[in-house]
């Protein structure tokens, strides 16, 4: 039986000071002044459109988390962030312990802004550090230095933030194991509550794709991952997802909602959302206009939405597994029918094949990949794809 899961909100701020050569996110280099007031107005109009379209499916569902992503949300002033959160709060209720995260670039946060962000309602910061090696930061196109990162973490802590994440990448251009370990050591020294540690990969349509740097080979990258995982574990950061490590009680509520196949509204240029309507038995995805100009031009109008699709039942096993199997501890097996509306029989034969391969743990209560399954997770998830003849999608009414 399909049951509406927890609800989150993602807010996309698409501008950066400059585009990093590895980045394939929907981000755009800032040219001239930022249209903060117009964009805040557009975001709230965008939310109003979603509420009008999905109102019945959103009734009595408080927000579990809010995440400001980008781009570089810290380019926006505390007053702009406060306007957004005030507007959201007038339209939707908040869980009492709601998590509200703001992504920040250590090179864009002016002294004193953290006080303003905290006053606006933000209670968690995510720092896009990526490395503590200035040479590596330069090659990654980052605008901050290692000392900038340490400074802004200290400023956030002085402003009262006791819950923050540090993003780090490994397998960087010409990086060795010792260099990856030094990055972990310096991150741990700053005592974040959460560390995201993920491998740099070359994505299409990026500067690195056009002019690839020399990256460590797959064996060297695996050695870095294993070594850094152990360092993090020894320091009290438990791995709970492929690239996420947290102190006790400090897992990311927002990201967990994604991985547990929860629902989320997405507002902003290029933002994506997913919403379950238990009454009609449908799960829909919605995407917004990708470019800031098109998004602003059509704010609140139907054309601000680029697409709305209903996820066909044939696609649901893959969509679910693509998220849930990333969790190290897995998910309760009974959540599959609750989150998809499908019976366990829809995945029984594929689960049996994956268990025979040694990629899914035995047992009927918890759905969880083995250590070998985690290493070859893309192959495991691909087993749940529908047959090629089924396109699995249809436009929503």
């Amino acid at each position: 039986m399909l049951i509406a899961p927890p609800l989150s909100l993602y807010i996309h701020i698409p501008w950066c000071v400059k585009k990093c050569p590895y980045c394939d996110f929907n981000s755009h280099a800032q040219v001239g002044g930022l249209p903060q007031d117009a964009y805040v107005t557009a975001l709230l109009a965008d939310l109003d459109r979603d509420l009008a379209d999905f109102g019945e499916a959103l009734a009595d569902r408080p927000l579990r988390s809010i995440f400001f992503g980008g781009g570089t949300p810290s380019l926006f002033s505390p007053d702009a962030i406060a306007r957004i959160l005030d507007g959201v709060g007038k339209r939707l209720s908040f869980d009492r312990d709601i998590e509200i995260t703001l992504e920040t670039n250590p090179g864009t946060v002016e002294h004193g802004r953290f006080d303003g962000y905290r006053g606006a309602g933000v209670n968690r910061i995510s720092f896009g550090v990526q490395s503590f090696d200035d040479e590596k930061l330069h090659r990654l196109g980052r605008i901050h230095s290692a000392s900038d990162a340490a400074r802004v973490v200290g400023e956030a802590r002085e402003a009262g933030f006791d819950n923050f994440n540090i993003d780090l990448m490994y397998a960087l251009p010409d990086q060795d194991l010792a260099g990856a370990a030094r990055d972990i050591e310096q991150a741990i020294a700053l005592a974040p509550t959460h560390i995201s540690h993920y491998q740099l990969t070359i994505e299409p349509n990026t500067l690195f794709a056009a002019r690839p740097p020399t990256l460590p080979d797959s064996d060297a990258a695996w050695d870095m991952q294993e070594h850094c995982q152990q360092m993090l574990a020894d320091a009290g950061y438990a791995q709970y997802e492929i690239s996420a490590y947290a102190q006790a009680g400090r897992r990311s509520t927002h990201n967990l909602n994604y991985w547990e196949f929860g629902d989320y509204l997405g507002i902003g240029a290029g933002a994506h959302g997913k919403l379950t309507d238990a009454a009609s038995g449908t799960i829909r995805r919605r995407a917004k206009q990708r470019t800031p100009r098109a998004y602003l031009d059509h704010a609140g109008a139907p054309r601000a939405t680029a697409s709305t699709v209903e996820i066909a039942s044939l696609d649901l096993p893959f969509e679910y597994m693509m998220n849930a199997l990333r969790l190290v501890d897995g998910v309760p097996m009974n959540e599959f029918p609750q989150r998809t509306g499908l019976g366990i029989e829809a995945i029984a034969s594929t689960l049996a094949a994956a268990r025979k391969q040694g990629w899914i743990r035995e047992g009927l209560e918890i759905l969880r990949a083995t250590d070998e399954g985690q290493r070859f997770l893309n192959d495991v998830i691909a087993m749940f794809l529908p047959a090629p003849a089924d396109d699995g999608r249809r436009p929503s009414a």
Side-chain angles (χ1 to χ4, degrees):
M1 177 182 176
L2 189 63
I3 298 175
L7 180 69
S8 294
L9 172 66
Y10 175 76
I11 302 171
H12 192 69
I13 310 292
W15 291 281
C16 291
V17 173
K18 69 172 187 176
K19 185 83 170 178
C20 294
Y22 60 86
C23 179
D24 69 336
F25 294 162
N26 183 34
S27 59
H28 305 263
Q30 176 186 353
V31 178
L34 288 174
Q36 290 194 59
D37 289 344
Y39 196 74
V40 170
T41 299
L43 286 171
L44 297 177
D46 189 0
L47 181 58
D48 284 335
R49 167 62 58 180
D50 281 352
L51 293 174
D53 291 346
F54 302 132
E56 292 184 7
L58 294 169
D60 301 319
R61 296 177 67 184
L63 290 175
R64 181 186 190 188
S65 63
I66 299 173
F67 194 100
F68 289 89
T72 306
S74 53
L75 288 174
F76 271 38
S77 70
D79 285 346
I81 299 300
R83 278 188 59 203
I84 296 167
L85 290 175
D86 287 346
V88 173
K90 291 174 181 176
R91 292 161 170 82
L92 291 164
S93 61
F94 292 1
D95 272 346
R96 185 176 60 181
D97 56 350
I98 187 172
E99 174 192 274
I100 303 177
T101 302
L102 180 81
E103 282 189 335
T104 65
N105 183 320
T108 64
V109 186
E110 300 170 5
H111 183 73
R113 273 202 171 192
F114 287 112
D115 289 317
Y117 291 136
R118 191 162 181 267
V122 175
N123 55 27
R124 184 176 182 269
I125 298 289
S126 181
F127 293 102
V129 175
Q130 313 313 353
S131 177
F132 289 95
D133 182 321
D134 283 342
E135 188 271 336
K136 295 291 186 285
L137 288 170
H138 176 73
R139 295 186 69 178
L140 291 172
R142 304 297 289 174
I143 64 172
H144 69 275
S145 65
S147 61
D148 288 334
R151 173 182 55 79
V152 297
V153 166
E155 290 177 359
R157 185 176 279 113
E158 288 175 5
F161 284 99
D162 64 354
N163 190 15
F164 63 92
N165 169 68
I166 288 179
D167 271 353
L168 285 179
M169 294 193 293
Y170 67 94
L172 303 178
D174 298 314
Q175 188 178 51
D176 59 16
L177 180 62
R182 282 194 298 272
D183 276 347
I184 292 294
E185 288 174 356
Q186 292 182 71
I188 291 171
L190 294 174
T193 52
H194 191 284
I195 294 176
S196 297
H197 187 240
Y198 52 96
Q199 182 177 349
L200 172 63
T201 55
I202 304 298
E203 302 293 346
N205 303 315
T206 63
L207 185 58
F208 273 179
R211 288 179 279 179
T214 302
L215 301 183
D217 62 28
S218 58
D219 288 338
W222 180 252
D223 289 343
M224 291 179 196
Q225 180 179 335
E226 286 196 313
H227 184 76
C228 293
Q229 280 177 344
Q230 189 59 56
M231 292 178 67
L232 288 163
D234 292 344
Y237 293 88
Q239 184 184 21
Y240 68 99
E241 188 266 346
I242 289 175
S243 59
Y245 304 78
Q247 294 177 344
R250 295 296 196 169
R251 296 180 177 188
S252 168
T253 299
H254 190 83
N255 286 337
L256 273 174
N257 196 44
Y258 289 148
W259 297 321
E260 293 171 349
F261 210 54
D263 280 354
Y264 51 97
L265 296 170
I267 59 174
H272 288 250
K274 165 189 168 284
L275 191 69
T276 301
D277 186 340
S280 66
T282 60
I283 302 173
R284 286 172 285 183
R285 291 196 181 278
R286 171 168 282 192
K288 306 301 170 57
Q289 289 284 355
R290 183 175 175 83
T291 67
R293 185 70 270 156
Y295 180 80
L296 285 166
D297 285 347
H298 303 295
R303 288 184 64 187
T305 298
S307 65
T308 303
V309 296
E310 181 182 329
I311 305 176
S313 58
L314 287 170
D315 267 348
L316 282 168
F318 172 75
E319 295 254 1
Y320 182 84
M321 297 300 175
M322 185 170 57
N323 293 282
L325 288 179
R326 294 178 64 91
L327 292 169
V328 173
D329 295 334
V331 293
M333 188 69 78
N334 63 8
E335 283 193 0
F336 175 78
Q338 293 173 1
R339 300 289 165 95
T340 66
L342 302 176
I344 296 296
E345 64 275 6
I347 55 172
S349 61
T350 309
L351 283 178
R355 289 188 178 113
K356 185 176 181 179
Q357 191 73 27
W359 287 345
I360 297 288
R361 293 184 182 274
E362 298 292 337
L364 299 176
E365 294 185 359
I366 299 294
L367 176 63
R368 180 183 176 192
T370 62
D371 291 343
E372 187 78 357
Q374 287 286 346
R375 184 169 185 180
F376 297 100
L377 191 59
N378 288 341
D379 297 310
V380 183
I381 293 168
M383 296 178 72
F384 294 90
L385 281 166
D390 301 312
D391 76 6
R393 294 187 182 276
R394 60 180 180 273
S396 177

